[in-house]
């Protein structure tokens, strides 16, 4: 972290050198000392420091300077850096003007020249002033900052993206934060350029998409190997497990993820039934640990990036990315997971990302402080989200069509929900419409046959499971719901027998294309549990070895 700055200004070279010498001798351990030899140059320096978002602790300026006197310079300094301490250096003849300036220019102090010895006439005063500044100073956040509008879907998308990769950032709402408005103007941008990402190194990214932001964060690789042993498509629990085992067993392994690691599990606020974590852990934490583990073992990651097409050429598999890049590999493990089904009611498309969210959307929890939120769905993900949101929201309503949660939610979550005062279950209920202009304001609820309009700050949707396999149409065999068929399903069901052409039976997790495997929630018959997904991902690598040894 950069040290705060002490700025000394005097047009007399000898006096300026003496100020610089004395300040450095006493304060250089905790501060940086800058010196400027004229008022106009000092004002320009102040503006540059402001543009660079430097921290200014004190300005020490001589009164009698041509072009811009000390009092006037310190007045400008107060406008640019209102928290910095301002001290006027003056001769005995200008004492009266200095005293008047304490009121008119809001000076903190004035010092007489000469100040020899500084141990008695300079340092005590400056130590007092800097001590007061330190007590009041709030250090500027030096990490990545995201400035946008609370109800902007793109702002929400970037917040989720950064959180998914556990990138620390500061969120600033342009409409409510004067700091955000000042920063945007300071960087030379306008509200139309939002969302705006300001990196720790000062780089500004206006209106970035996830790929641009990922490239800046170093997530997107620019060099890829000519041939991989195995490419894993999707970085949910099964994909991360496949990457860990593939890399640890010496396979040239690449994993491609279009959003953030963890899949649906990565958005869970608390997973309490995963083996080995008796106090539970968040989905993001689990995903980050697995991600770090795979990288340490030698797996390569490409994210955020999406595969558009998969084809087979002379036994090798060729993956074509959305940007046209082609990746060749000997084997593929498909761990594309599932996504939540959309809620088909009036207004849903218009307000998606602006109060209506699919999944936990943990980044929006704080904005729900002391307001009512609604959750649609009765699975474990919905229950975990309800428990997390209950720490912020005034009331959390869980909307389900059935009579209870028993058929779809784990017993430990049902018990926790029943013991949480501000969570209420609404059985035999459905959301029929979402209302609002530029953001969600209310939901129209059919509550056991009675229609009513209720105010709502946010609506979180957790319904159904739609496999992310559309891009594989015509290449790999799926069932009628889009889930990937593997193993014995390809040879025992008469409808699919002709799809398997190889002389041997398919391996347990092998699709109708030899060397292409499926694991996790997108596979037909999967258990939809984190532990089973991890198990399938690791099992898939065993079958990859067997395929490569043929």
């Amino acid at each position: 972290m950069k040290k705060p700055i002490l700025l000394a200004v005097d047009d007399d070279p000898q006096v300026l050198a003496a100020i610089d010498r004395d300040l450095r001798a006493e304060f250089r351990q905790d501060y940086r000392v800058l010196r400027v030899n004229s008022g106009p140059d000092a004002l320009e320096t102040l503006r540059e420091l402001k543009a660079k978002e430097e921290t200014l602790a004190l300005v020490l300026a001589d009164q009698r300077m041509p072009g811009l006197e000390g009092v006037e310079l310190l007045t400008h300094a107060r406008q640019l850096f209102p928290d910095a301490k301002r001290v006027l250096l003056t001769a005995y003849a200008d004492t009266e003007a200095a005293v008047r300036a304490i009121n008119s220019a809001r000076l903190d102090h004035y010092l007489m020249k000469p100040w020899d010895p500084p141990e008695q006439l300079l340092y005590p005063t400056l130590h007092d002033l800097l001590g007061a500044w330190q007590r009041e100073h709030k250090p500027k956040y030096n990490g990545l900052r995201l400035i946008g509008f609370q109800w902007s879907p793109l702002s929400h998308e970037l917040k989720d993206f950064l959180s998914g990769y556990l990138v620390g950032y500061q969120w600033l709402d342009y409409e409510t934060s004067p700091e955000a408005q000042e920063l945007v103007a300071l960087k030379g941008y306008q509200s139309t350029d939002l969302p705006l990402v300001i990196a720790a190194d000062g780089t500004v990214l206006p209106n970035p998409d996830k790929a641009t932001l990922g490239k800046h964060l170093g997530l997107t690789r620019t060099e890829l190997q000519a041939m991989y042993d195995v490419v894993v498509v999707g970085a949910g629990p099964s994909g991360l497990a496949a990457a860990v085992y593939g890399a640890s067993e010496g396979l040239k392994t690449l994993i491609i993820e279009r959003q953030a690691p963890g899949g649906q599990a990565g958005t869970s606020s608390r997973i309490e039934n995963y083996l080995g974590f008796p106090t539970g852990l968040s989905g993001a934490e689990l995903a980050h640990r697995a991600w770090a583990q795979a990288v340490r073992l030698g797996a390569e990651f490409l994210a955020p990036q999406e595969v558009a097409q998969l084809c087979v050429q002379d036994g090798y598999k060729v993956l074509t990315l959305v940007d046209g890049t082609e990746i060749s590999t000997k084997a593929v493990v498909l761990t594309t997971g599932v996504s939540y089904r959309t809620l088909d009611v009036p207004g849903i498309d218009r307000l998606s990302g602006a109060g209506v969210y699919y999944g936990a959307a943990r980044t929006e929890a704080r904005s729900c402080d002391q307001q009512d939120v609604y959750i649609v769905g009765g699975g474990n993900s919905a229950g975990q989200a309800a428990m997390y949101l209950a720490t912020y929201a005034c009331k959390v309503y869980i909307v389900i069509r059935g009579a209870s949660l028993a058929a779809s939610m784990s017993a430990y979550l049902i018990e926790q929900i029943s013991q949480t005062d501000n969570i209420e279950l609404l059985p035999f209920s459905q959301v029929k419409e979402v209302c609002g202009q530029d953001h969600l304001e209310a939901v129209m609820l059919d509550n056991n046959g009675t229609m009513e309009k209720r105010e709502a700050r946010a609506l979180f949707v957790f319904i159904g499971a739609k496999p992310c396999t559309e891009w594989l149409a015509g290449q790999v065999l799926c069932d009628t719901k889009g889930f990937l068929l593997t193993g014995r399903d390809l040879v025992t069901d008469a409808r699919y027998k002709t799809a398997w052409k190889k002389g041997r039976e398919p391996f347990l997790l092998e699709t109708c294309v030899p060397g292409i495997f499926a694991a996790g929630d997108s596979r037909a018959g999967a258990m939809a549990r984190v532990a089973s997904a991890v198990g399938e991902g690791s099992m898939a690598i065993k079958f990859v070895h067997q395929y490569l040894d043929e």
Side-chain angles (χ1 to χ4, degrees):
M1 185 179 296
K2 290 183 179 179
K3 296 177 181 178
I5 292 171
L6 308 181
L7 179 63
V9 188
D10 200 304
D11 64 317
D12 186 323
Q14 292 183 337
V15 175
L16 185 59
I19 298 173
D20 182 73
R21 178 199 65 214
D22 291 341
L23 290 179
R24 290 180 187 276
E26 184 71 8
F27 300 104
R28 64 184 174 186
Q29 184 173 347
D30 300 313
Y31 299 89
R32 286 179 291 157
V33 178
L34 300 181
R35 62 178 183 178
V36 183
N37 60 7
S38 76
D41 287 348
L43 181 56
E44 183 61 29
T45 297
L46 288 170
R47 289 170 177 159
E48 291 177 1
L49 293 176
K50 182 69 174 179
K52 294 178 180 178
E53 298 183 72
E54 296 279 7
T55 301
L56 182 67
L58 180 141
V59 185
L60 188 63
D62 182 50
Q63 167 59 10
R64 290 184 177 270
M65 294 186 295
L68 191 68
E69 290 190 338
V71 170
E72 189 176 355
L73 172 64
L74 294 175
T75 301
H76 287 295
R78 179 172 176 267
Q79 295 170 351
L80 293 169
F81 293 92
D83 298 329
K85 298 300 180 181
R86 296 170 299 281
V87 178
L88 188 69
L89 279 176
T90 181
Y92 180 79
D94 296 321
T95 302
E96 186 177 344
V99 172
R100 288 198 304 268
I102 290 178
N103 293 326
S104 61
R106 309 283 287 275
L107 299 186
D108 294 292
H109 210 283
Y110 73 90
L111 290 171
M112 301 289 293
K113 295 189 292 185
W115 55 86
D116 191 45
E119 291 79 8
Q120 297 179 13
L121 302 178
L122 179 66
Y123 298 154
T125 298
L126 296 188
H127 273 299
D128 287 346
L129 290 173
L130 291 172
W133 178 83
Q134 288 280 9
R135 288 190 295 272
E136 298 170 0
H137 174 62
K138 294 181 180 179
K140 179 177 65 67
Y141 180 78
N142 288 312
L144 186 144
R145 283 167 292 181
L146 173 60
I147 303 173
F149 297 102
Q150 177 62 46
W151 303 115
S152 161
L154 181 54
S155 293
H156 165 68
E157 186 177 320
L158 294 179
K159 283 191 283 185
D160 264 7
F161 177 75
L162 292 169
S163 297
Y165 286 95
L166 294 186
V167 177
Y169 70 95
Q170 182 186 49
W171 162 251
L172 296 171
D173 184 356
Y174 183 80
E175 291 183 314
T176 60
S177 170
E179 179 186 357
Q181 297 164 11
E182 182 182 6
L183 272 173
V184 170
L186 192 63
K187 297 297 182 180
Y189 292 92
Q190 300 176 347
S191 60
T192 52
D193 298 309
L194 301 183
L196 196 74
V197 173
I198 304 176
D201 62 2
T203 303
V204 180
L205 304 175
N207 258 315
D209 56 21
K210 290 185 294 185
T212 302
L213 184 53
K215 183 177 181 180
H216 181 79
L217 295 174
L219 298 173
T220 302
R221 297 184 60 87
T222 56
E223 297 181 4
L224 296 169
Q225 297 188 40
M227 176 69 67
Y228 288 91
D229 293 320
V230 59
V231 172
V232 182
V233 183
S238 57
L240 291 169
V244 167
Y245 279 87
S248 68
E249 295 173 14
L251 298 178
K252 291 181 181 178
T253 304
L254 173 69
I255 185 167
I256 304 172
E257 169 56 42
R258 65 176 180 175
Q259 295 180 353
Q264 279 194 351
T267 66
S268 295
S269 56
R270 203 75 184 163
I271 301 173
E272 296 190 56
N273 59 354
Y274 188 62
L275 185 66
F277 294 89
T279 60
L281 78 168
S282 71
E285 184 182 1
L286 177 62
H288 184 70
R289 289 186 182 193
W291 178 282
Q293 187 177 17
V295 170
R296 182 181 66 81
L297 292 169
E300 298 178 18
F301 279 84
L302 190 59
Q305 188 56 268
E306 188 171 357
V307 182
Q309 186 178 356
L310 170 61
C311 63
V312 180
Q313 296 179 0
D314 299 325
Y316 296 103
K317 287 73 183 170
V318 179
L319 298 163
T320 304
L321 307 182
V322 291
D323 63 2
T325 303
E326 291 189 347
I327 299 172
S328 298
T329 180
K330 299 173 184 176
V332 174
V333 179
L334 299 171
T335 59
T336 54
V338 297
S339 60
Y340 292 112
R341 296 188 183 278
T342 57
L343 187 65
D344 188 16
V345 298
I348 200 75
D349 292 335
R350 181 169 51 83
L351 299 179
S352 181
V356 176
Y357 308 105
Y358 289 90
R362 296 178 63 199
T363 54
E364 306 300 336
R366 291 186 181 276
S367 67
C368 300
D369 187 46
Q370 298 306 307
Q371 299 187 62
D372 291 348
V373 301
Y374 287 78
I375 292 175
V376 179
N380 277 3
S381 295
Q384 291 160 355
M387 291 301 301
Y388 182 73
L389 290 166
T391 61
Y392 299 97
C394 177
K395 195 82 172 181
V396 178
Y397 296 95
I398 302 177
V399 181
I400 59 171
R401 294 186 178 188
S404 73
L405 298 168
S408 56
M409 189 179 292
S410 296
Y412 80 91
L413 272 173
I414 296 175
E415 182 179 359
Q416 289 179 359
I417 288 171
S418 67
Q419 295 174 354
T420 306
D421 293 337
N422 63 332
I423 299 180
E424 181 178 338
L425 182 67
L426 300 178
F428 305 111
S429 299
Q430 296 182 57
V431 173
K432 290 296 187 180
E433 184 180 355
V434 291
C435 311
Q437 293 300 315
D438 60 344
H439 67 277
L440 180 70
E441 298 174 7
V443 295
M444 190 66 72
L445 201 66
D446 180 350
N447 188 1
N448 202 15
T450 302
M451 293 294 294
E452 55 180 317
K453 187 175 184 179
R454 296 187 174 198
E455 291 185 2
R457 170 60 179 75
L459 175 68
F460 299 89
V461 181
F462 300 84
I463 55 172
K466 180 183 178 183
C468 303
T469 57
E470 300 92 341
W471 62 281
L472 291 164
Q475 299 295 321
V476 181
L477 198 61
C478 299
D479 66 10
T480 55
K481 295 181 179 180
F483 291 91
L484 296 164
L485 292 165
T486 58
R488 295 286 297 168
D489 286 343
L490 298 171
V491 294
T492 57
D493 193 318
R495 294 174 296 175
Y496 310 128
K497 279 186 177 181
T498 57
W500 180 254
K501 306 295 184 182
K502 205 168 178 65
R504 62 168 174 81
E505 282 199 359
F507 297 122
L508 182 61
L509 300 179
E510 197 168 21
T511 68
C512 65
V513 181
I516 298 180
F517 303 86
D521 291 353
S522 61
R523 189 183 69 83
M527 294 296 293
R529 289 289 186 268
V530 174
S532 62
V534 170
E536 287 191 11
S538 57
M539 286 169 56
I541 296 302
K542 174 182 181 294
F543 298 127
V544 168
H545 279 295
Q546 292 179 339
Y547 169 76
L548 295 178
D549 289 340
E550 289 182 339

